[in-house]
Amino acid sequence: MSAHEAYSGRATLSFLVLVLSVPRGLAFSVAGQVNTCEANGSVYYVGEWYFLDSDHCTQCECTAEGSACARTECTSLPAACIHVSHYPTDCCPRCERIGCEYRGDVYELGENFQPSECEQCTCDSDGIARCLVADCAPPPCVNPVYQKGKCCPECREGPNCYTDGTRTRVIPGGEPVWVDSCTKCRCHDGQEAGYWEGNRVAICARVRNCTPEEGH
């Protein structure tokens, strides 16, 4: 073996030893290019993708020119979303359920429901419950009764009113009634709701120069 051949063999062997003895994780740079990228306290190789720990909406790729990153824009949640979840590892919030929430209860989109006897509601597509409320006319009596399952009160005994401001005596409506031997009163008959609204006292007429009989 010549001296030149022996020198070449030693040079090749030295280069192999140098390559094999390079610590793992050390990057080589060739003509301005890199083989690794550092982020999140870790090292990524060219071609690897990763999300930033500080912003889960930003995803990066390790390239030969360095990290190339792009941020994800979250889409708007549905208008009818009533349950939103935020997970620590997710970029965008999640809609877990859509519908309408009304007085603590949840209804499906398009569902009709009756939360009370006087309300009729619909869960609209925008997540808002829209209701129609019954407008009850004033009952033509002084002792209306509310029945289960019905919205407006009813006069079980028919139209009536009080004979005077003391509101101690009630007479039926329609026909005149002698409340004593000298006084005749007439209560509304239920057909005069506009006139009697808010007024529950009869119209009375007293006979002139009349003395009520005892016991009346």
Side-chain angles (χ1 to χ4, degrees):
M1 178 183 297
S2 65
H4 175 72
E5 291 175 337
Y7 175 77
S8 298
R10 287 195 298 273
T12 302
L13 179 60
S14 298
F15 179 74
L16 291 175
V17 171
L18 176 63
V19 172
L20 294 175
S21 63
V22 173
R24 296 187 64 183
L26 183 64
F28 286 99
S29 296
V30 179
Q33 295 183 342
V34 297
N35 291 334
T36 61
C37 306
E38 292 186 5
N40 303 327
S42 302
V43 175
Y44 300 91
Y45 291 92
V46 172
E48 283 192 276
W49 290 83
Y50 57 91
F51 286 94
L52 295 181
D53 289 346
S54 59
D55 182 4
H56 292 292
C57 289
T58 299
Q59 187 178 27
C60 303
E61 180 187 10
C62 181
T63 70
E65 288 75 30
S67 296
C69 301
R71 197 172 193 281
T72 300
E73 296 297 330
C74 298
T75 57
S76 300
L77 295 177
C81 186
I82 57 175
H83 183 189
V84 180
S85 295
H86 297 268
Y87 294 94
T89 57
D90 283 359
C91 164
C92 301
R94 299 184 189 182
C95 180
E96 304 288 358
R97 185 172 184 181
I98 60 174
C100 298
E101 189 170 2
Y102 189 76
R103 295 179 183 172
D105 294 322
V106 175
Y107 302 92
E108 301 297 330
L109 295 182
E111 182 179 355
N112 296 318
F113 58 97
Q114 191 172 3
S116 69
E117 287 82 356
C118 294
E119 295 175 286
Q120 187 67 43
C121 305
T122 300
C123 176
D124 285 344
S125 59
D126 57 0
I128 297 177
R130 291 179 170 83
C131 302
L132 295 176
V133 181
D135 186 12
C136 298
C141 61
V142 297
N143 51 357
V145 176
Y146 286 88
Q147 299 189 48
K148 186 177 181 179
K150 294 186 177 181
C151 171
C152 300
E154 298 178 348
C155 296
R156 288 185 176 179
E157 300 175 2
N160 58 35
C161 65
Y162 297 109
T163 57
D164 54 40
T166 62
R167 301 193 174 192
T168 56
R169 182 178 177 183
V170 177
I171 60 174
E175 297 295 328
V177 176
W178 287 96
V179 296
D180 59 39
S181 58
C182 297
T183 307
K184 180 186 290 187
C185 297
R186 180 181 180 277
C187 191
H188 66 93
D189 57 6
Q191 304 301 316
E192 305 170 89
Y195 175 79
W196 288 97
E197 185 175 337
N199 185 359
R200 295 292 181 258
V201 179
I203 296 176
C204 298
R206 186 177 179 82
V207 178
R208 291 183 179 181
N209 302 321
C210 178
T211 301
E213 298 177 2
E214 293 184 5
H216 289 81

